[in-house]
Amino acid sequence: MGSSPNSKPKIVRGSAGYVLEDVPHFSDYIPDLPTYSNPLQDNPAYSVVKQYFVHVDDSVPQKIIANKDSPRGVHFRRAGPRQKVYFDSDDVQAAIVTCGGLCPGLNTVIRELVCAMFHMYGVKKVLGINGGYKGFYAHNTITLTPKTVNDIHKRGGTVLGSSRGGHDTNKIVDSIQDRGINQVYIIGGDGTQRGASRIFEEIRKRGLKVAVVGIPKTIDNDIQVIDKSFGFDTAVEEAQRAINAAHVEAESGENGIGVVKLMGRYSGFIAMYATLASRDVDCCLIPESPFYLEGPGGLFEFTEKRLKENGHMVIVIAEGAGQELVSESIHSMQKQDASGNKLLQDVGLWISQKIKEHFAKLKTMTINLKYIGCIALSFSYLTDPTYMIRAVPSNASDNVYCTLLAQSAVHGAMAGYTGFTSGLVNGRHTYIPFHRITEGQNKVIITDRMWARLLSSTNQPSFTIAKSVLEEKKEEEEEATGN
Ligand SMILES: Nc1ncnc2c1ncn2[C@@H]1O[C@H](COP(=O)(O)OP(=O)(O)O)[C@@H](O)[C@H]1O
Ligand SMILES: O=P(O)(O)OC[C@H]1O[C@](O)(COP(=O)(O)O)[C@@H](O)[C@@H]1O
Ligand SMILES: [Mg+2]
């Protein structure tokens, strides 16, 4: 089989500023491949659907807000079944792997990949790789059939196991080749998709007919381009339970303060949506919006004010918020996990301590602070409330979302596409080239309407604005006095 070192982004331009950021296809680097009729045309469930097969030129715009003169802009290839497929079903040997942290819905995606392959395409050989990327070369595999995955979507976690670190591209591709695998479904977050991209490049370099397909997983919703990640809705729903508990505790004590720490390493989406949904939260702190404790416009001043007004208060804090403040006060070594992600300090515990110290010094107000989930158990993961929202099974709407993501992934691989992530863009399923997924991170934009909605719902200080106004004022005073 021929190979080409050329793996530049595939950009197709059309009229009126139309741009298609296309995904690789086997035919880009392997000539004269046979094609087959899609077996779905004989499937009684689907054969009655008018226009069931996606038109070869269909694409989905990245930006849907337009005005009369705006160019058509960037598009992604529309996901879905194609008339012709590049695999004879009997020849398919698929593999599924889950990498990175847990997220509700992982088992649903595994289940639906297996079912789509068996029931839609008549594929009979699907392997589960145990324990993440390193499982390709360091662990056993398990055989997956619709029967073995039948009710796994009712359980949290991943039946395949997961891990961080251990990505050795050559060993992984050797193992893919040795096992005769020709479709690889890789479920994971930004780190995982970077790893998948490397696997794709190596496979292309070796000229192999192996489809490499990513399915984006991130509880933090920090993967860019896609509308939202699966499991996110479930996580927000689960976070409500923690916030409710904090609210009940806060309301019941004199000057009660409930502090809830939620997941969100670099992006505060869970905290923002959980706050907006709950309406019981007085202050939401996220990594994207720096805050400060002391002085005018600071958290302490706001807390005193809220307690005087309402007698209680709930603070939601994303785990990645205020890390620079924590590092200033706790001497720490910069540590990383096996995948190279920064290990965070416990900001929930830190902020709870700081608030307690402040009111103890103030002496005019006695407070009752409860840090939700901070129970003295012997295992650290049980004392950290953030893990509670990760381990649950996905809710109904996430299950449907996972099903469509998985089916889209299988349609794409069968149609000969490779080196792509299956993702929802403006409510339509698409194939997104890896580089678009991995080149940045999705973050809460604090100058956008959503954050403004949050600020107006909690009426919390906008720390950035307050601080910059203070700094400007100070500079003006210094200029005026000539200091
Ligand atoms: N830049 C990279 N290149 C290759 N593999 C990577 C890269 N970053 C992370 N990985 C691998 O992807 C897997 C999951 O990454 P991690 O960051 O832990 O989780 P997530 O994919 O959820 O972000 C790990 O096995 C890790 O080794
Ligand atoms: O699973 P670990 O290694 O304890 O890491 C916890 C981290 O995982 C996350 O759930 C995100 O995981 P991913 O990087 O796998 O998407 C963060 O919210 C959290 O900081
Ligand atoms: Mg990640």
Side-chain angles (χ1 to χ4, degrees):
M1 279 183 242
S3 75
S4 139
N6 184 8
S7 168
K8 283 190 193 131
K10 267 173 85 177
I11 312 281
V12 180
R13 290 180 198 279
S15 60
Y18 173 92
V19 178
L20 172 66
E21 296 216 9
D22 206 358
V23 295
H25 191 271
F26 289 146
S27 55
D28 298 344
Y29 66 98
I30 311 174
D32 308 323
L33 279 173
T35 57
Y36 309 85
S37 293
N38 192 324
L40 272 169
Q41 69 190 18
D42 304 319
N43 183 315
Y46 297 100
S47 56
V48 291
V49 181
K50 252 196 203 167
Q51 284 220 317
Y52 183 67
F53 295 113
V54 166
H55 189 277
V56 69
D57 283 337
D58 279 358
S59 61
V60 177
Q62 182 173 20
K63 289 200 177 118
I64 49 165
I65 311 258
N67 51 49
K68 152 163 98 50
D69 299 320
S70 49
R72 292 171 68 199
V74 170
H75 290 64
F76 297 109
R77 194 167 274 285
R78 183 182 173 198
R82 268 47 183 184
Q83 206 109 35
K84 294 269 170 241
V85 293
Y86 278 71
F87 288 96
D88 178 345
S89 304
D90 289 338
D91 295 341
V92 174
Q93 170 65 76
I96 305 174
V97 65
T98 51
C99 311
L102 295 184
C103 176
L106 282 166
N107 280 335
T108 314
V109 175
I110 298 168
R111 180 190 192 280
E112 296 306 324
L113 284 170
V114 174
C115 291
M117 280 187 265
F118 272 73
H119 301 322
M120 291 178 144
Y121 287 98
V123 168
K124 296 273 176 326
K125 290 174 281 179
V126 185
L127 283 179
I129 307 293
N130 267 138
Y133 276 135
K134 60 180 90 151
F136 274 103
Y137 53 85
H139 296 289
N140 288 328
T141 55
I142 50 171
T143 303
L144 299 173
T145 64
K147 207 166 172 198
T148 60
V149 298
N150 186 39
D151 58 0
I152 61 171
H153 60 297
K154 294 175 188 163
R155 282 179 254 158
T158 157
V159 289
L160 298 179
S162 188
S163 65
R164 298 199 190 272
H167 181 101
D168 186 323
T169 311
N170 279 318
K171 279 196 197 167
I172 293 169
V173 178
D174 288 348
S175 158
I176 288 171
Q177 234 179 322
D178 293 347
R179 293 173 198 270
I181 294 167
N182 50 20
Q183 293 186 3
V184 194
Y185 296 92
I186 302 175
I187 313 167
D190 54 343
T192 306
Q193 304 299 315
R194 269 181 215 110
S197 171
R198 291 198 183 182
I199 293 172
F200 163 69
E201 291 300 339
E202 183 57 27
I203 279 175
R204 187 186 162 117
K205 203 170 104 195
R206 297 188 193 184
L208 305 174
K209 186 190 162 192
V210 178
V212 182
V213 180
I215 293 152
K217 170 244 54 160
T218 153
I219 198 163
D220 296 348
N221 200 32
D222 57 5
I223 295 186
Q224 60 175 18
V225 183
I226 59 171
D227 292 355
K228 70 175 167 189
S229 45
F230 72 79
F232 176 70
D233 279 356
T234 306
V236 171
E237 217 167 275
E238 199 58 23
Q240 300 297 292
R241 292 175 358 111
I243 294 174
N244 282 345
H247 188 234
V248 169
E249 286 287 348
E251 265 193 327
S252 313
E254 187 195 350
N255 291 320
I257 303 177
V259 175
V260 180
K261 183 178 73 165
L262 295 173
M263 274 190 170
R265 211 200 297 258
Y266 306 109
S267 310
F269 288 101
I270 298 179
M272 177 170 77
Y273 275 80
T275 297
L276 272 167
S278 147
R279 300 280 165 178
D280 283 335
V281 179
D282 294 272
C283 188
C284 171
L285 302 168
I286 59 169
E288 295 90 335
S289 176
F291 65 93
Y292 56 97
L293 302 177
E294 320 252 1
L299 183 70
F300 291 155
E301 183 193 72
F302 176 64
T303 307
E304 285 169 39
K305 185 169 151 265
R306 260 306 138 93
L307 289 178
K308 276 181 200 148
E309 282 165 5
N310 294 349
H312 69 277
M313 175 175 191
V314 174
I315 299 173
V316 162
I317 186 158
E319 61 181 334
Q323 286 296 313
E324 63 299 339
L325 300 178
V326 191
S327 308
E328 265 170 32
S329 65
I330 303 175
H331 177 69
S332 67
M333 285 180 290
Q334 284 271 338
K335 283 190 206 144
Q336 294 184 330
D337 69 14
S339 297
N341 300 303
K342 195 173 134 195
L343 282 176
L344 303 174
Q345 309 276 353
D346 189 339
V347 71
L349 210 52
W350 173 83
I351 207 163
S352 301
Q353 200 51 41
K354 285 285 171 193
I355 294 172
K356 281 181 188 167
E357 283 168 13
H358 172 76
F359 282 97
K361 242 196 281 165
L362 204 64
K363 291 197 178 114
T364 52
M365 227 182 212
T366 311
I367 61 154
N368 258 300
L369 186 145
K370 300 283 186 312
Y371 177 34
I372 295 303
C374 195
I375 323 153
L377 292 172
S378 48
F379 300 105
S380 68
Y381 70 90
L382 288 176
T383 69
D384 192 326
T386 58
Y387 289 93
M388 285 165 53
I389 64 167
R390 234 177 46 160
V392 295
S394 45
N395 67 14
S397 84
D398 271 328
N399 275 339
V400 176
Y401 181 20
C402 291
T403 303
L404 268 73
L405 274 177
Q407 291 183 355
S408 298
V410 173
H411 291 315
M414 289 300 296
Y417 293 109
T418 178
F420 71 87
T421 298
S422 169
L424 196 68
V425 175
N426 294 317
R428 306 312 292 252
H429 286 268
T430 68
Y431 301 140
I432 306 162
F434 281 142
H435 71 94
R436 284 302 310 273
I437 292 287
T438 56
E439 69 195 1
Q441 251 174 347
N442 190 29
K443 287 188 185 282
V444 173
I445 299 172
I446 58 167
T447 49
D448 255 9
R449 287 188 178 82
M450 208 57 178
W451 187 244
R453 285 183 191 111
L454 180 133
L455 293 180
S456 94
S457 94
T458 57
N459 214 8
Q460 70 190 64
S462 162
F463 298 97
T464 345
I465 296 165
K467 199 166 189 183
S468 53
V469 169
L470 273 177
E471 276 163 6
E472 257 173 46
K473 230 175 160 182
K474 207 173 153 202
E475 272 169 31
E476 276 168 18
E477 278 167 11
E478 280 171 1
E479 267 172 38
T481 56
N483 286 329

